[in-house]
Amino acid sequence: MNTNDEKLISLLQTEWQLLDASVVTLIQSVEKCELIGVKLNYTFEEQESFDSLTSKFNRSSDLFTQKIIRTVWILLHESHVPFIDLMNMMEKLGIIKNANQMIAIRDMRNQIAHEYIPEALCELIPEVIEMIEQLVENIRCCHVFLSERQWIK
C-alpha cells in the first residue's frame, strides 16, 4: 500500500464517520415523520419535519454516493466513470446491494433539491422513506465490503 492509498483510507474513515452520524439523524427524522403520518393539511412544524427529513436524505445520499463511493472507486485504482456505470460496477463488485436502487435514490435526491413547494415535498415522503430503507441497506453492504478490506472498522 502506498502513501496515497493510506491518505485515501484515512479520508474514507473520516467520511464514513460523517455518514454514520448523518444516517443516525436521518433515521430519527424518519421516525418523527412516520408519527406525523399522511394528512390533507400539515402544520408549519410538520412541514418543517418533512423538510428536515428530505434535507437529511439528500445529505446522507450525497455523503454515500459522492464521497464514500467515489473514494472507494479511487482506492480500487479505477478511472472515472459516469454515475450510472459506477453504480453498476459497484453492484458487480458487491460494494452495494442494488445499482438501480442507488440510481433511483440519486434521481429522488435531485428531484427534492429542485422541489420548491412544501406541499409537494410532503407528497414525496412515503417514497423517500422507502428509499431511505434502500439507502441504508446499500450502506450496510458497503460497510461489509470495506470492513473485510480493513479500510474501516
Side-chain angles (χ1 to χ4, degrees):
M1 182 177 312
N2 62 40
T3 305
N4 192 43
D5 285 350
E6 289 173 4
K7 288 178 183 177
L8 284 169
I9 290 170
S10 178
L11 174 64
L12 180 64
Q13 291 168 350
T14 300
E15 291 170 341
W16 194 269
Q17 289 173 344
L18 293 171
L19 177 63
D20 195 41
S22 180
V23 169
V24 167
T25 64
L26 176 61
I27 291 170
Q28 290 171 338
S29 284
V30 168
E31 292 167 355
K32 184 176 182 181
C33 288
E34 286 180 330
L35 289 175
I36 295 169
V38 177
K39 304 177 183 182
L40 291 177
N41 297 304
Y42 296 96
T43 66
F44 178 75
E45 289 76 19
E46 290 169 336
Q47 286 181 355
E48 280 189 324
S49 294
F50 291 135
D51 190 47
S52 176
L53 175 69
T54 57
S55 176
K56 290 174 184 180
F57 170 76
N58 285 1
R59 183 173 31 259
S60 295
S61 66
D62 280 349
L63 279 168
F64 185 55
T65 60
Q66 301 305 310
K67 300 289 186 184
I68 301 291
I69 294 295
R70 292 284 181 190
T71 302
V72 169
W73 195 245
I74 294 167
L75 271 166
L76 294 172
H77 301 282
E78 297 292 340
S79 60
H80 182 76
V81 294
F83 183 79
I84 293 172
D85 296 336
L86 176 62
M87 291 301 110
N88 286 322
M89 291 301 297
M90 288 289 174
E91 180 182 343
K92 286 179 185 174
L93 294 170
I95 299 170
I96 62 171
K97 183 179 176 187
N98 188 301
N100 289 332
Q101 287 177 347
M102 292 307 304
I103 293 164
I105 287 167
R106 187 70 180 164
D107 289 344
M108 176 61 76
R109 178 251 175 255
N110 291 338
Q111 183 179 354
I112 291 167
H114 297 97
E115 193 66 65
Y116 300 108
I117 303 168
E119 294 80 16
L121 286 179
C122 294
E123 292 173 10
L124 293 174
I125 294 304
E127 189 174 355
V128 170
I129 290 173
E130 181 181 329
M131 288 187 168
I132 289 168
E133 292 170 9
Q134 295 170 359
L135 176 62
V136 170
E137 288 175 7
N138 282 281
I139 290 170
R140 286 185 184 134
C141 183
C142 184
H143 186 271
V144 170
F145 180 90
L146 299 178
S147 295
E148 288 173 351
R149 278 147 191 81
Q150 298 181 345
W151 290 350
I152 63 168
K153 296 177 184 175

